[in-house]
Amino acid sequence: MTWRGAVFLVLLLQTLSTTAIAQTTQPQFGGKYAELDERRQKLVADWVARLEQTTGQSIASGPFYDELISLSIKTTFGAVTHALMTTHLTDQAAADLGDALTLVERLDVVRGEVTGERGDHQFRIYVRLTADAVDKLSRSQQFKRGADNSVYHKGYPINYRGQGGTPSIQISIATDRRNADVDVDYRGSSFPAALFNGHLTSSNSDVRAGNNYDKHLNRWTGFQNWWQSFFGVRLERPAETAEGEKRTSLAAVPRAGKKDVDVMAADFLKAWLVEGNAIAAMSYLSERSYGCLAHDKDDPLNFDRGMAPFQLLINLRAAYNAIGKHDSLEGLVVGTRLTKPGLRVIDQPHRGQFVAYSVPDDIAIPLDCGSELMPGGSTSARRVYGNYAGTSFYVAGQKDVPVALLWAKENGYWKIVSWRVGATDDAAAPPPIMEPAVTRIAVDESLAAAARDFLESWLVKKQYDAAFAYLSPRSYRCYDIEQDPALPASTSMEDAGRKLRAALASSSAAIGTGRKLDQVIEAVEPFLASIRVMDHADAKVFTLMSVPDALADAAECTARAGSSTIPDPVPLAYGNGFGTTVRFKTRAGEAPVLRLLWRKDNGSWRITSYGVELP
């Protein structure tokens, strides 16, 4: 059990009051405008100046950064720019090209956590690059141009990725060579575990999630974890519970009984923050909420749910001890309004402490942490009210750290099933980028038949030998590229093949039996203009495409493992490489994308490369 893994407390503690720490003199790192270095202050100041021109409202850069932008925006800006400024660029002759932050001319938009948005629209900065940025990237040893983005980063197809493994900086560039989307990828795209982990799409680039901060610090030194402190006091791991405490009986029935959600929410906050009665507070937390703690894991399906209630109990108590005694919620907890369309505000007597909402199913289900961990459980959620409710507030004056709790009824009792901390629902949109039209072509029926037979053999019929027969020995080299880092590397190509065969079986077993193919996977169409999408009978289940020969060659396992680069511009010659893209269905809707490369081998279609694409 890790302190950083206790997402609920670690994030909520950022909202606590200063009463318990007024005597401290420890500095706070990175959370204030004054603590940014000169170059990043200049980026923010220029950003604010352009906002003033657009809105006509005048505000100083310091107050804007410190008081008006959310925690997740600050951490995203801090993490991405820190990674850039500590990545030194050199060409093949070791000549100095400056650090990667010098590639940025100006900051356009910073996007932290945005409620309801897809993963590649969160936790990134949108910038205008300098005129020579692409030239420097192409000459540098520290970045390599990878296969063009075709599913994620829409509008920014040119893909440069930092070398040296995960975590890595990804700079996705528009065709004008000046506008770019920059993020840090902390999670590996391992096959097959990543296929079912819907949480990866939201936590892949969030430095706050799980052990992403540790990964960041191991790669780029000098980054302070200021968001897991409050007012400059570094959080320490709370004491472990005694064995007797681990046997404490946790009430399944909330003490307020079967009341309206506002009564339940008020009693939860009172029990936790005023009375310090963590046992009573825990009675309001559904077991479904334990899935939120799984965000600490690279493989959330292996999360120890048995320890989750005790982890939360310890941390609820530690939070109460940190804020000190309060006689009431008045002034300690303040309601804050969410503006997401579809939420219906509930008129209730506790609106000073929290705002309550009726939340429709189509908004609630993607926010339910457990939904992200349900392979093959996709549902078509409708705009139906009554099954979910929400509450939002901030604690102790921390307006930049809003807390949103999602509630659902269990056995007639309203309980907390999910939470979001520091997210926004009205974030600025990225700069508009012209989107190219996708060319559509007729399908090669033999390819369509092969793709369907492979997917059905693997995922529906559980005929793993038949599915494995579609994998060319050339694809075995991808095993060590895509493998889970926790698993041993292959010892030979034959061993890699055996491990791939086992991975096919284990991943298919995870989704169970008795399902049809369209209940398990869905098509994901590319946006890249150079890719030609095929029309076929199963176009809603899996996507087929013809890709330029140069992109197909770059996608091969040997090319990805080596130093070969993609020509710029990409020659538009076709006929030797074809692709399939699919996404496994979860209730949350956005799992990573599986990419397969098909080629003809002695007259038969074979998969020569595969990969898992994250935002």
Side-chain angles (χ1 to χ4, degrees):
M1 178 168 52
T2 64
W3 169 247
R4 187 164 288 108
V7 177
F8 193 37
L9 172 68
V10 167
L11 293 178
L12 286 181
L13 276 175
Q14 297 155 39
T15 71
L16 302 180
S17 71
T18 60
T19 53
I21 57 166
Q23 72 278 9
T24 184
T25 58
Q26 291 184 358
Q28 183 181 16
F29 297 99
K32 299 291 184 182
Y33 178 78
E35 295 158 352
L36 297 173
D37 62 280
E38 183 179 355
R39 285 199 295 168
R40 288 190 286 182
Q41 281 189 352
K42 184 178 179 181
L43 285 174
V44 173
D46 176 69
W47 184 30
V48 172
R50 285 182 283 118
L51 285 175
E52 287 181 347
Q53 293 176 358
T54 302
T55 64
Q57 298 179 349
S58 179
I59 184 171
S61 301
F64 172 83
Y65 187 86
D66 295 344
E67 301 170 16
L68 296 184
I69 66 173
S70 71
L71 171 78
S72 65
I73 289 178
K74 292 177 186 175
T75 53
T76 299
F77 174 74
V80 176
T81 55
H82 177 265
L84 290 170
M85 68 191 298
T86 51
T87 298
H88 194 75
L89 306 180
T90 56
D91 66 14
Q92 298 302 317
D96 183 11
L97 298 176
D99 65 54
L101 189 58
T102 63
L103 305 176
V104 176
E105 180 178 280
R106 77 180 189 201
L107 183 68
D108 285 332
V109 171
V110 181
R111 281 204 141 196
E113 183 174 3
V114 185
T115 304
E117 276 282 13
R118 51 186 281 176
D120 61 336
H121 291 169
Q122 302 183 72
F123 307 112
R124 62 201 59 248
I125 64 175
Y126 294 88
V127 302
R128 182 167 177 80
L129 299 175
T130 60
D132 61 349
V134 173
D135 175 64
K136 285 185 176 180
L137 283 170
S138 64
R139 291 163 52 205
S140 76
Q141 301 182 70
Q142 290 71 32
F143 282 85
K144 177 182 177 181
R145 180 169 178 180
D148 286 356
N149 298 319
S150 62
V151 174
Y152 295 114
H153 311 281
K154 191 172 186 179
Y156 303 89
I158 302 171
N159 173 27
Y160 280 92
R161 184 174 292 281
Q163 299 302 286
T166 305
S168 64
I169 303 168
Q170 183 177 15
I171 302 179
S172 302
I173 307 171
T175 54
D176 65 4
R177 302 313 203 254
R178 296 299 296 274
N179 290 290
D181 159 1
V182 188
D183 70 314
V184 176
D185 292 326
Y186 293 102
R187 306 296 176 98
S189 57
S190 60
F191 178 88
L195 294 177
F196 308 109
N197 294 350
H199 87 295
L200 285 174
T201 58
S202 59
S203 63
N204 177 44
S205 297
D206 182 5
V207 72
R208 303 170 302 160
N211 61 350
N212 287 357
Y213 167 70
D214 291 334
K215 295 178 180 179
H216 187 108
L217 194 61
N218 287 337
R219 180 71 187 268
W220 301 289
T221 60
F223 189 49
Q224 296 291 336
N225 188 345
W226 56 268
W227 62 91
Q228 289 185 356
S229 64
F230 53 104
F231 299 100
V233 173
R234 190 74 173 164
L235 295 178
E236 299 295 337
R237 176 176 174 168
E240 296 279 0
T241 54
E243 286 303 313
E245 189 174 42
K246 288 185 180 181
R247 294 192 295 269
T248 299
S249 176
L250 299 177
V253 176
R255 71 179 186 181
K258 293 183 178 180
K259 302 291 177 61
D260 291 340
V261 69
D262 62 295
V263 177
M264 309 293 270
D267 195 56
F268 164 72
L269 292 171
K270 180 182 177 182
W272 174 36
L273 295 173
V274 177
E275 300 171 9
N277 187 344
I279 294 291
M282 278 293 297
S283 69
Y284 290 96
L285 283 161
S286 164
E287 289 186 9
R288 289 160 61 182
S289 72
Y290 301 167
C292 295
L293 293 179
H295 283 248
D296 184 50
K297 304 294 183 181
D298 283 352
D299 183 3
L301 297 178
N302 290 328
F303 175 65
D304 187 353
R305 293 177 63 87
M307 290 305 299
F310 305 107
Q311 187 172 345
L312 288 170
L313 183 65
I314 296 168
N315 295 326
L316 288 171
R317 286 174 172 162
Y320 170 76
N321 292 333
I323 67 168
K325 293 186 179 297
H326 291 265
D327 295 330
S328 72
L329 294 174
E330 191 69 30
L332 176 62
V333 182
V334 178
T336 182
R337 178 74 178 271
L338 300 176
T339 60
K340 187 174 185 63
L343 299 180
R344 294 178 177 175
V345 176
I346 299 172
D347 187 22
Q348 44 89 20
H350 307 285
R351 54 186 173 272
Q353 282 74 53
F354 55 85
V355 181
Y357 313 85
S358 179
V359 183
D361 289 6
D362 61 324
I363 293 178
I365 287 176
L367 300 178
D368 187 332
C369 295
S371 295
E372 297 173 338
L373 307 177
M374 295 181 182
S378 179
T379 60
S380 180
R382 297 177 295 141
R383 183 54 61 93
V384 175
Y385 292 85
N387 297 317
Y388 291 91
T391 53
S392 60
F393 54 88
Y394 60 84
V395 181
Q398 294 300 288
K399 296 181 180 180
D400 63 337
V401 194
V403 180
L405 305 179
L406 183 67
W407 300 71
K409 274 192 175 180
E410 290 187 355
N411 300 320
Y413 301 97
W414 284 106
K415 286 196 170 188
I416 299 166
V417 296
S418 188
W419 59 78
R420 292 289 188 275
V421 180
T424 61
D425 59 357
D426 58 352
I433 298 292
M434 183 180 299
E435 298 178 2
V438 175
T439 301
R440 310 193 76 85
I441 61 174
V443 70
D444 181 314
E445 294 293 350
S446 65
L447 173 61
R452 182 174 185 89
D453 188 53
F454 165 72
L455 293 169
E456 283 195 327
S457 297
W458 173 28
L459 300 171
V460 177
K461 299 176 182 177
K462 314 297 181 182
Q463 296 174 349
Y464 305 126
D465 287 336
F468 181 67
Y470 279 101
L471 289 173
S472 163
R474 293 163 64 180
S475 71
Y476 301 172
R477 292 183 179 275
C478 284
Y479 175 79
D480 290 322
I481 298 173
E482 297 287 342
Q483 69 157 340
D484 184 337
L487 298 178
S490 64
T491 57
S492 65
M493 285 299 99
E494 292 76 13
D495 182 53
R498 288 191 294 269
K499 286 179 165 60
L500 274 177
R501 164 61 171 77
L504 289 175
S506 64
S507 57
S508 182
I511 63 175
T513 59
R515 299 183 185 275
K516 296 180 179 179
L517 195 59
D518 62 359
Q519 295 174 321
V520 177
I521 58 175
E522 60 187 353
V524 184
E525 284 206 356
F527 60 79
L528 194 61
S530 62
I531 290 179
R532 299 173 175 178
V533 178
M534 294 180 172
D535 291 319
H536 62 103
D538 297 303
K540 292 185 178 180
V541 184
F542 55 89
T543 301
L544 293 175
M545 67 201 77
S546 174
V547 300
D549 295 345
L551 292 185
D553 293 343
E556 291 287 4
C557 305
T558 51
R560 290 162 58 195
S563 58
S564 60
T565 60
I566 296 175
D568 189 11
V570 175
L572 298 182
Y574 297 84
N576 295 312
F578 301 84
T580 298
T581 52
V582 298
R583 175 183 288 129
F584 283 75
K585 289 185 174 181
T586 69
R587 294 188 71 210
E590 194 193 346
V593 172
L594 174 64
R595 294 179 286 105
L596 305 173
L597 176 66
W598 293 84
R599 294 187 190 265
K600 275 283 186 73
D601 184 1
N602 294 323
S604 299
W605 288 106
R606 305 289 294 278
I607 297 168
T608 61
S609 181
Y610 67 90
V612 180
E613 186 172 348
L614 301 179

